[in-house]
Amino acid sequence: MTPAVPLVLLGLVDAAFSGFRAYAGRDARIRKRRANARASLRGLATGAALLLAPALAAALLLLAAPDRSGMYDSLTAGGFGYLLPLALYATAVLLSLAAYFLLPFRASTLAMVIGLGPLTLLRPAVIVAACLGALLNGGGWPALLIGTIAGAAALGVEPAVHRRWYGDVLRP
């Protein structure tokens, strides 16, 4: 089993949320479902493009390695180490979202403020933990390199979407 599929899925979901965050709060209209969906799709597209960087780096490492099987095993071990902190983080986000959608209005607002706000701020720390997980789980420097590139790509989606599509909204 390879950790690549769940890592790609987590990266793409995170990219869609990043696109939403790049747009959120910039439009005073009440009904903005289409704009939110468009922002999420922009984040998804940007994330898909940026997440090609770690995939290409992993492919290059595999092609350049004298022992491709050993490199694949190392990257797989690192991928599982990278996946664990991200899976815990994603579970916390899903629980906060479930509370937001299922609880009454006041409780859901409190759940959003307590859960989703701090969790958004913790994204860089979670990526650092994931990189350490990749290194400590037997991935070595190749997994750390791929994890760092993937983390930079994931953290770069929101600023890229904001700059490309929503940067002019706040300027006077």
Side-chain angles (χ1 to χ4, degrees):
M1 181 177 162
T2 176
V5 172
L7 285 172
V8 167
L9 289 176
L10 281 174
L12 292 176
V13 170
D14 183 71
F17 280 119
S18 293
F20 172 77
R21 282 192 308 272
Y23 170 72
R26 309 225 181 273
D27 189 345
R29 291 180 286 175
I30 294 174
R31 293 185 181 139
K32 48 189 172 188
R33 183 173 292 176
R34 293 182 77 188
N36 286 337
R38 185 175 44 244
S40 296
L41 288 175
R42 287 174 173 166
L44 182 65
T46 304
L50 288 176
L51 289 174
L52 287 176
L56 289 174
L60 288 175
L61 280 175
L62 282 171
L63 290 174
D67 179 20
R68 289 185 184 159
S69 176
M71 179 62 75
Y72 182 82
D73 291 342
S74 175
L75 290 177
T76 300
F80 281 117
Y82 198 83
L83 182 60
L84 180 62
L86 295 181
L88 293 174
Y89 177 78
T91 301
V93 170
L94 286 176
L95 289 174
S96 289
L97 282 174
Y100 175 71
F101 286 115
L102 296 176
L103 294 176
F105 178 73
R106 287 185 180 188
S108 68
T109 302
L110 181 64
M112 186 175 74
V113 170
I114 290 175
L116 294 179
L119 288 173
T120 300
L121 294 175
L122 284 175
R123 289 178 71 234
V126 171
I127 290 194
V128 168
C131 288
L132 289 175
L135 181 67
L136 298 176
N137 199 38
W141 71 266
L144 180 62
L145 175 68
I146 302 300
T148 302
I149 293 171
L155 292 176
V157 172
E158 187 174 343
V161 170
H162 174 77
R163 182 175 299 241
R164 169 66 178 89
W165 285 287
Y166 306 112
D168 293 338
V169 174
L170 295 178
R171 291 184 187 148

